[in-house]
Amino acid sequence: MTDVLVIGAGMSGIACARALQTASVPVRLVDKGRGLGGRVATRRADVAGESITFDHGTQYLDQSEDAERIAKLGRGAVDVWQLGERTSRVVGVPGMAALPKALADGLDFTLNTRVTTVVERGALWEIETDAGNMTASHVVVTVPAPQLEPILGETHAIVQQATSAVMRPCLTLMAAFDRDTPAPFVTRRDANAVLTWIAQNNTKPGRSTAFQTWVAQAHPDWSETHIDADRSEIKTRMVDLLCSALSVAPSKLRHAGLQGWRYGLVETHLGQPFLSDGTLWAGGDWCCGPKVQDAWRSGTDIAASVLRTLETSAPVRSEVANQSG
Ligand SMILES: Cc1cc2nc3c(=O)[nH]c(=O)nc-3n(C[C@H](O)[C@H](O)[C@H](O)COP(=O)(O)OP(=O)(O)OC[C@H]3O[C@@H](n4cnc5c(N)ncnc54)[C@H](O)[C@@H]3O)c2cc1C
């Protein structure tokens, strides 16, 4: 039996693990996060006794065929967000994070576990994590491109090739106002503004309407300049910008939170679905595009490559075992 360890349980890791499990290959996902989905994420906040949520990463699935295929796989965890008479988008319900959770149903995964290094030892890989060591015969790494280096080492061929991918930060504000606050629009995209995307989160299906909730994403240039600045100062500046865009008095604000996605958005991708070196693969959106469906494609293409390798290689006895117990 040959086992595969997939590092990163975002959409690319989940796609890869699903395809391998379907082919009856024992596979385990490991992620440093508290939940599945990576940048397809939902943040919860308690405000005046009400539990409210914000989609602080991916906003929706677009209308491409590839995205629609993913939505179909996640049936039961998605719904339509009506943005106008003729405009709609597919979103996770009750939050975006419900989609990766549904897609990962039945997979073997370990959360809250950060992989620190992956080192080849004979026919096996030794994976060091902050919760103990593991071994595997095949390893798939689906972390954002700049996060490969600490895991694989600066001189690794995959790390060198991945440097061509450019990922930009995205500072994201989550704000809640009194529910009767006037809302001038549901979404606004303005590539020239500091807040390039503003969306009224509570208009998505299945969300709490106890407050009027907004998500605002800052321009990549502005985010890059401010990603290491004092977070409470940045939050205040983004709240002011949002209030001005909505023509709302800051006194109406009931809650504000800030997320700094350091490697949030793909600006330049590699133009190929993954990188590989023997029994090691690396992938994610940074390989083939900036969207969920690109991450998904990278993961499924890696799985196909792993399966080809398994078919052509001699059987290797191995285990993905948490040796720390
Ligand atoms: C603010 C924002 C808005 C977006 N909006 C949209 C949108 O509306 N529509 C759309 O299609 N796309 C959108 N995207 C892009 C989309 O989120 C990504 O393309 C996609 O989710 C990437 O998936 P992934 O699996 O490649 O990477 P990720 O989701 O980043 O998954 C990588 C995983 O690796 C884990 N990890 C990293 N390092 C380690 C380690 N050392 N050990 C263990 N685990 C580790 C992380 O915790 C993470 O879960 C948006 C992205 C952002 C940031």
Side-chain angles (χ1 to χ4, degrees), residues 288-324:
C288 46
K291 297 198 161 180
V292 160
Q293 60 267 30
D294 302 307
W296 193 261
R297 182 181 146 217
S298 176
T300 49
D301 283 9
I302 290 175
S305 174
V306 172
L307 290 173
R308 279 194 300 274
T309 304
L310 289 172
E311 275 164 20
T312 54
S313 62
V316 177
R317 209 179 135 53
S318 68
E319 55 177 326
V320 175
N322 191 329
Q323 295 175 342
S324 70

Side-chain angles (χ1 to χ4, degrees), residues 6-15 30-41 55-62 67 96 110-117 128-130 141-144 147-148 150-151 167-172 189 197 204 215 217 259 261-266 283-287 289-296 298-299:
V6 178
I7 302 166
M11 293 299 270
S12 50
I14 291 171
V30 59
D31 200 291
K32 67 179 180 174
R34 272 180 299 164
L36 295 157
R39 280 171 276 156
V40 182
D55 298 325
H56 58 304
T58 296
Q59 296 296 290
Y60 54 75
L61 298 184
D62 71 17
M96 283 307 296
T110 305
L111 298 174
N112 296 307
T113 303
R114 177 188 292 271
V115 171
T116 47
T117 55
E128 194 179 286
T129 83
D130 59 6
V141 194
T142 65
V143 306
Q147 293 179 324
L148 287 168
I151 297 174
M167 299 188 75
R168 306 289 311 275
C170 182
L171 283 161
T172 303
R189 192 180 291 284
W197 166 258
K204 292 179 177 180
V215 169
Q217 298 167 356
Q259 166 76 21
W261 298 102
R262 189 172 292 277
Y263 307 115
L265 304 167
V266 172
D285 58 352
W286 50 273
C287 283
K291 297 198 161 180
V292 160
Q293 60 267 30
D294 302 307
W296 193 261
S298 176

Side-chain angles (χ1 to χ4, degrees), residues 120-207:
E120 201 166 13
R121 300 250 185 264
L124 294 181
W125 291 96
E126 203 166 283
I127 301 103
E128 194 179 286
T129 83
D130 59 6
N133 292 354
M134 304 172 179
T135 53
S137 59
H138 298 71
V139 172
V140 177
V141 194
T142 65
V143 306
Q147 293 179 324
L148 287 168
E149 189 197 310
I151 297 174
L152 298 177
E154 194 187 351
T155 56
H156 197 288
I158 285 182
V159 175
Q160 295 290 317
Q161 291 171 70
T163 54
S164 323
V166 179
M167 299 188 75
R168 306 289 311 275
C170 182
L171 283 161
T172 303
L173 177 72
M174 296 155 270
F177 297 91
D178 291 332
R179 60 190 289 178
D180 59 354
T181 309
F185 51 80
V186 175
T187 66
R188 190 189 82 175
R189 192 180 291 284
D190 181 352
N192 299 315
V194 170
L195 300 184
T196 52
W197 166 258
I198 302 174
Q200 193 182 349
N201 196 85
N202 65 286
T203 61
K204 292 179 177 180
R207 273 65 176 174

Side-chain angles (χ1 to χ4, degrees), residues 8-58:
M11 293 299 270
S12 50
I14 291 171
C16 181
R18 270 176 70 109
L20 290 172
Q21 180 156 298
T22 301
S24 303
V25 174
V27 53
R28 182 193 285 186
L29 283 158
V30 59
D31 200 291
K32 67 179 180 174
R34 272 180 299 164
L36 295 157
R39 280 171 276 156
V40 182
T42 302
R43 173 78 55 83
R44 190 173 296 283
D46 289 321
V47 182
E50 296 282 348
S51 178
I52 58 172
T53 60
F54 300 88
D55 298 325
H56 58 304
T58 296

Side-chain angles (χ1 to χ4, degrees), residues 82 109 114 131 146-147 151 187 198 206 210 227 237 255 280 282 295 299:
Q82 207 62 47
F109 59 83
R114 177 188 292 271
Q147 293 179 324
I151 297 174
T187 66
I198 302 174
I227 190 78
R237 285 180 70 176
H255 166 84
L280 177 70

